[in-house]
Amino acid sequence: MKTIAGIAEMKAITGELKSAGKSIGLVPTMGFLHEGHLSLVRESLRRADVTVVSLFVNPTQFAPNEDFEDYPRDRVRDSQILDAEGVDYLFAPVNEEMYPDGYHTCVEVQELQDRLCGRTRPGHFRGVCTVVTKLFNIVRPDFAFFGQKDAQQAFILKRMVRDLNMDTTIEVLPTVRDADGLALSSRNTYLDSEQRKVALVLSASLKRALEMVEKGEKDAAVISRGIREQILSQPLARIDYVEIVDIDTLLPLKKITHRALIALAVFIGKVRLIDNVIVEVQE
Ligand code: AMP
């Protein structure tokens, strides 16, 4: 695996690969890799001739009060893991080159960016869309791989690609979980053992919601109440949001009629965790 930090160098390599007719898969990450990231990497290795994994803790998607400084980082371990997977290029640019003095441009997917996580994290999806656009311009991927765990992010990026006529197909892969159900996240490392147990309430409450839907419940308020009650039974957990939304618009549903996204964000102490499931109802 070759590690590249310079944008010009990465663009030169991309240009050569394109001229040689190679397909490029990109897996954007903020590092501190886990099996969730690796599921995306493996899919890219299967689908594309050449796989580029980017590693960049993007400052513009963190608000000033968020965890940019504390975000877990382990470049050496990440690099070893990706090398062992057979990744072709690790692209790890530096802030100063991504956002040099005088940088003033951003990409926004209006309205969608304000829903769900966007309410608690204003500016977050603008930062995500901007950095992903930059990565797409540098790497020019045919495919880019994202996780369903960040459902709103994947949804917004698909819309961005469509709206701006970008030449990249966004592939979304299922959430990878620990054996006990907790969705893998680099932020799980912030949890102590007590909090780690409490954090199971995210996946457990979604599982209960799925069961309610399977038994025929379609009323979003009833399902949402079931989820909230379960989360509130944990004194260390604080609900940021629980929402049942239309899969095509991210707008709240009163009744589940076809496919819906049930998404939630919960604070365990200071750690904000997210999870979601897609439910399907037969008419
Ligand atoms: P991050 O490094 O947290 O920005 O995540 C990089 C990519 O990995 C994003 O597309 C995430 O949605 C994806 N990802 C993170 N956690 C998981 C998971 N548990 N399962 C599948 N994909 C994930």
Side-chain angles (χ1 to χ4, degrees):
M1 183 180 73
K2 257 191 109 176
T3 300
I4 316 284
I7 292 174
E9 191 185 351
M10 191 68 241
K11 286 186 82 160
I13 291 168
T14 306
E16 278 169 27
L17 292 170
K18 287 271 165 200
S19 310
K22 303 277 187 201
S23 65
I24 301 175
L26 172 67
V27 183
T29 82
M30 298 205 297
F32 212 72
L33 302 176
H34 51 65
E35 283 294 322
H37 296 113
L38 296 185
S39 70
L40 311 182
V41 168
R42 288 170 193 148
E43 184 63 14
S44 177
L45 289 166
R46 268 195 294 275
R47 290 281 299 278
D49 296 327
V50 175
T51 290
V52 180
V53 176
S54 64
L55 197 166
F56 181 60
V57 185
N58 174 38
T60 65
Q61 69 191 67
F62 291 81
N65 61 333
E66 292 183 341
D67 57 345
F68 173 69
E69 295 296 340
D70 298 333
Y71 195 83
R73 294 163 168 90
D74 192 342
R75 260 288 287 282
V76 174
R77 179 178 165 272
D78 287 346
S79 176
Q80 283 167 352
I81 290 173
L82 294 173
D83 193 27
E85 290 290 330
V87 167
D88 301 283
Y89 295 97
L90 169 59
F91 177 50
V94 295
N95 284 348
E96 293 69 24
E97 215 195 346
M98 287 293 268
Y99 301 109
D101 285 347
Y103 186 93
H104 276 309
T105 306
C106 63
V107 180
E108 288 191 7
V109 176
Q110 291 170 345
E111 295 189 21
L112 297 178
Q113 67 180 1
D114 302 325
R115 296 181 190 148
L116 303 171
C117 288
R119 276 203 291 280
T120 319
R121 306 190 70 191
H124 169 68
F125 291 111
R126 181 175 55 221
V128 170
C129 288
T130 302
V131 79
V132 170
T133 300
K134 286 172 69 70
L135 292 170
F136 283 7
N137 285 336
I138 296 164
V139 177
R140 293 164 59 199
D142 298 273
F143 314 102
F145 299 86
F146 294 89
Q148 175 64 28
K149 152 113 185 330
D150 300 274
Q152 187 179 10
Q153 166 174 284
F155 185 89
I156 285 176
L157 291 172
K158 276 190 171 175
R159 188 59 57 89
M160 175 185 87
V161 161
R162 191 194 80 178
D163 289 354
L164 296 182
N165 313 101
M166 293 176 167
D167 287 327
T168 300
T169 304
I170 304 276
E171 300 287 353
V172 184
L173 294 170
T175 301
V176 177
R177 300 176 180 280
D178 264 336
D180 57 9
L182 182 67
L184 297 184
S185 164
S186 307
R187 287 192 168 96
N188 291 351
T189 175
Y190 296 142
L191 302 168
D192 63 29
S193 61
E194 174 71 14
Q195 291 172 325
R196 170 75 182 60
K197 278 185 211 145
V198 174
L200 290 177
V201 77
L202 280 88
S203 55
S205 63
L206 288 171
K207 193 162 166 246
R208 175 162 156 194
L210 265 174
E211 285 162 8
M212 289 173 83
V213 175
E214 273 162 21
K215 282 187 189 144
E217 184 58 68
K218 292 181 183 166
D219 187 330
V222 173
I223 299 165
S224 174
R225 204 177 315 126
I227 296 174
R228 284 170 183 277
E229 276 169 12
Q230 190 158 351
I231 299 172
L232 291 172
S233 71
Q234 294 287 346
L236 289 180
R238 182 165 62 81
I239 295 174
D240 180 13
Y241 70 79
V242 174
E243 289 215 39
I244 301 178
V245 297
D246 186 290
I247 200 96
D248 298 318
T249 62
L250 299 188
L251 285 171
L253 286 173
K254 282 198 162 65
K255 195 169 173 230
I256 302 178
T257 50
H258 53 293
R259 287 176 86 217
L261 176 75
I262 309 184
L264 45 81
V266 176
F267 285 95
I268 313 286
K270 286 194 175 132
V271 188
R272 183 176 176 279
L273 299 176
I274 57 172
D275 202 348
N276 66 82
V277 286
I278 293 171
V279 290
E280 212 157 347
V281 165
Q282 305 300 336
E283 284 303 298

